[in-house]
Amino acid sequence: SFFLIRFFLSILLCFLTLFVTGRISDMDYLLGFIEYDAGGTTSIVAKEIFSKLSFVDNRYLIISLIATVSSFLLFILIKSFIDKENTNVWRLILLAPGLLIYTNSVTKETLFLYPAIAFIILECFSLTGKDSKPINFYLNFILKILLLTFMISIRGDLTAPYILLLLVNMILKNIDFGIIFKNLKFKSLFIRSFFISFFITFALMFFREDFFTRTIIYLQSSFRYENTFRPTVNIEFIRNPLNFIYIQYLSLFPTPLELIEKPYKVTIIIDSLILFFSFSEAWKRLFRIVNSYKRTKKIIALLFSFITVVYFSLFAILGSFNLGSSQRLRTNFIPIGIIFPLILEKNIRDKKFISKSYS
């Protein structure tokens, strides 16, 4: 089956990455094989979890064990949301190299992804009214808070988009914003979101300059030994409005010199193309199914804008410093950016089918 093939492919890619680069993220630190300052509470929590596997004393065997558990969890979580109408998009995103490598090995992304998917499933249930009974509503809400708490302990600030999604959904379900969008068109909404992100980013730089500067200096120092063939991304670079588009490019693709130095980074190009195509197809499918519902259409348009702005303003800027880290970090975006619209579209489609069956 597809999931079995994916399981063996994830192991193969993890082994190749380990063989070619000598490591996968902070694997040796998280297993307790080496010691260094890896950055705060989230690393300590992840190390506490993964170090339990250090007795195995073989990185390839550890990857095999983690990939086995991760593949099983993924199958259990999403199998009911895959059918013949959306299977191609699901298969494409699930075969993205970054997802195969960084969520099936010793990384914080592995610990984050599966709770994030569970949270997204519960959030989709809330949006489609599957938790309408009081007991289901409260159980759903409690589970989401527990999942968010764990996600915060693993990925810290990168959990913020999921917390905001919870709050935004609560607001949108209870407040009517009037006529905002007449038609759901991916291209126009995508471009609009880019410009909104542009203004938000520069507004934050203006009003929270000290915080923004400290964050950029920290990120720059974290990657100062790994960016010989990339432009120096610092506060001056980001302040230049013309570089905002270049930042988006740097978070997705290598520079020509990077690719010449390390040809294996062609896999990151493939990964980026898969992510963009899957993102656009997942949202286009959702747009088509809700386009005839006025209130639902407005909610989906606002959610799309929010999620797209989050990518441009957060994940793209973080990823522009280092391409390898960008590939790893954006796996944290996949649940909210791609899996969310896929699951929501399937839930809405099922709800429409049930309504027609009883009408």
Side-chain angles (χ1 to χ4, degrees), residues 77-328:
L77 284 168
I78 68 172
K79 64 176 181 176
S80 61
F81 303 106
I82 302 175
D83 61 15
K84 63 180 180 180
E85 293 193 31
N86 62 20
T87 185
N88 290 334
V89 184
W90 273 112
R91 289 184 176 185
L92 186 63
I93 187 55
L94 293 178
L95 290 178
L99 200 65
L100 290 172
I101 295 168
Y102 293 111
T103 63
N104 290 284
S105 54
V106 185
T107 65
K108 287 183 276 190
E109 281 64 34
T110 297
L111 297 176
F112 183 86
L113 179 75
Y114 306 100
I117 294 176
F119 171 82
I120 289 299
I121 292 171
L122 293 174
E123 200 58 40
C124 288
F125 286 167
S126 295
L127 282 169
T128 53
K130 289 191 175 184
D131 64 348
S132 55
K133 294 181 180 180
I135 183 66
N136 292 338
F137 172 81
Y138 289 116
L139 285 175
N140 184 314
F141 185 76
I142 292 170
L143 282 173
K144 285 188 287 190
I145 296 301
L146 291 174
L147 288 168
L148 285 173
T149 301
F150 179 76
M151 291 160 63
I152 291 169
S153 71
I154 296 300
R155 283 279 45 174
D157 293 343
L158 290 180
T159 310
Y162 294 84
I163 298 171
L164 291 174
L165 178 66
L166 174 65
L167 298 175
V168 168
N169 281 342
M170 292 173 65
I171 293 171
L172 294 179
K173 285 180 67 177
N174 294 285
I175 298 177
D176 190 344
F177 286 86
I179 299 175
I180 301 177
F181 304 98
K182 293 183 178 180
N183 292 297
L184 290 179
K185 294 183 179 179
F186 178 85
K187 185 177 179 180
S188 60
L189 284 174
F190 187 80
I191 294 172
R192 184 181 302 184
S193 299
F194 175 81
F195 283 108
I196 292 172
S197 171
F198 176 88
F199 288 115
I200 288 176
T201 301
F202 281 89
L204 286 174
M205 267 192 279
F206 180 79
F207 292 108
R208 296 295 304 275
E209 183 176 5
D210 290 344
F211 171 78
F212 206 90
T213 301
R214 288 198 304 270
T215 303
I216 297 304
I217 290 173
Y218 169 76
L219 291 169
Q220 187 182 5
S221 64
S222 299
F223 302 122
R224 63 177 178 266
Y225 301 118
E226 302 181 34
N227 294 275
T228 308
F229 297 107
R230 290 174 79 80
T232 301
V233 180
N234 52 30
I235 193 65
E236 287 74 23
F237 182 89
I238 296 175
R239 275 180 182 153
N240 185 344
L242 297 177
N243 287 333
F244 196 69
I245 295 177
Y246 194 22
I247 284 170
Q248 310 302 321
Y249 172 87
L250 290 173
S251 69
L252 294 170
F253 304 111
T255 64
L257 289 176
E258 274 187 295
L259 193 58
I260 292 171
E261 183 200 22
K262 298 178 179 179
Y264 63 81
K265 287 194 174 183
V266 70
T267 60
I268 300 182
I269 297 176
I270 295 171
D271 188 69
S272 298
L273 294 174
I274 287 175
L275 289 183
F276 180 76
F277 182 80
S278 301
F279 177 82
S280 63
E281 286 301 305
W283 283 100
K284 285 176 183 177
R285 288 185 58 84
L286 182 57
F287 289 172
R288 284 194 294 268
I289 202 169
V290 303
N291 208 31
S292 59
Y293 299 92
K294 291 183 180 180
R295 179 165 171 75
T296 305
K297 179 170 65 175
K298 287 185 288 187
I299 292 174
I300 297 304
L302 289 167
L303 288 174
F304 172 82
S305 301
F306 159 69
I307 289 169
T308 308
V309 166
V310 163
Y311 175 80
F312 286 136
S313 294
L314 177 62
F315 289 94
I317 291 177
L318 289 175
S320 65
F321 289 87
N322 179 278
L323 191 60
S325 295
S326 178
Q327 186 186 32
R328 174 173 57 84

